Amino acid sequence: VCDGVEGTRKLKSLPLPPAVLILTTFDDDQYIIEALRSGANGYLLKNVPPSRIVSSIKTVHEGSLLVHPDIARKLAGLVGTGSLPSSQASEEAEALRQKQLADMGLTPAEQHVVQLIAEGKSNKEIAAVLFFSEGTVKNYISVILGKLELRDRTQIAIFYLKM
C-alpha cells in the first residue's frame, strides 16, 4: 500500500520502533535522502550477495547504521557539492544539530569535526581548517566514534545528516 520510505515512517512512529534496513534497487538521490530522514537504519542495494544481506540485517539489528558503499559515495558527493535540499543548510537546522550533539556529550571541537566529516572533508582537510595535525584529527574521530557508538566516518556523516 506504500513505498519503503512511507513504510519506514510508519514503523518508526510505533511506540517501540524496529530497526529498518531498506533493501532496494533505487539509488535515486532524493529517495535515499528521504529514506534516511524517515529513520532508516540502513540502505542496501539488491546487487549484494545474500550473505552480505544477512550480515547487514544483523548489523542494523545490533543498532549500527549501515549504507551500501555505492550509496555512501553518492551521499559524500551530495554533501560535498551542496546538492542536499536547502533545509539541510539552514541555520536553524544547524543550531539544532549542534545542540543534539552537545547533548550527546560532544565538545564544540568534536561537533565541528563531525560537521566537516559530513561535508565530505578528508582528515587532512579537517586538520587544515581547524589548525590541527592529522593525528589530532584521527584522535578526535576515535573519540567521536566512541561517544556516538558508531564504527566509521561514513556512519558519522550519515548520523549527522539524519539529525
Side-chain angles (χ1 to χ4, degrees):
V1 180
C2 64
D3 67 8
V5 171
E6 183 61 27
T8 300
R9 280 190 194 110
K10 289 180 178 187
L11 287 169
K12 290 300 186 172
S13 70
L14 294 172
L16 295 171
V20 174
L21 174 62
I22 303 280
L23 179 61
T24 184
T25 58
F26 297 119
D27 66 351
D28 173 71
D29 298 351
Q30 194 59 39
Y31 190 83
I32 295 164
I33 292 166
E34 288 303 313
L36 294 173
R37 281 186 179 157
S38 296
N41 303 86
Y43 197 98
L44 196 60
L45 297 177
K46 289 183 179 179
N47 65 352
V48 298
S51 61
R52 176 90 186 273
I53 294 171
V54 171
S55 67
S56 297
I57 291 169
K58 290 176 182 176
T59 297
V60 169
H61 178 71
E62 292 168 355
S64 294
L65 294 172
L66 181 130
V67 176
H68 189 281
D70 293 344
I71 301 301
R73 280 188 285 280
K74 184 178 277 238
L75 285 172
L78 289 172
V79 171
T81 62
S83 296
L84 290 173
S86 61
S87 65
Q88 282 287 319
S90 74
E91 290 180 27
E92 189 174 305
E94 183 57 35
L96 179 59
R97 276 194 196 101
Q98 297 305 322
K99 182 183 180 328
Q100 289 173 325
L101 290 172
D103 290 346
M104 294 173 179
L106 269 63
T107 66
E110 291 165 347
Q111 293 169 36
H112 199 179
V113 170
V114 169
Q115 179 183 5
L116 293 170
I117 289 171
E119 290 175 7
K121 301 245 188 282
S122 68
N123 287 357
K124 185 175 184 176
E125 292 168 324
I126 294 169
V129 168
L130 299 177
F131 303 102
F132 292 160
S133 71
E134 282 187 67
T136 300
V137 172
K138 289 178 185 178
N139 289 338
Y140 269 94
I141 292 171
S142 294
V143 170
I144 292 164
L145 290 170
K147 287 182 178 181
L148 299 179
E149 298 178 5
L150 300 173
R151 284 187 321 226
D152 55 42
R153 298 172 60 91
T154 302
Q155 287 188 335
I156 291 172
I158 293 166
F159 177 84
Y160 182 82
L161 293 171
K162 284 177 68 172
M163 292 177 73

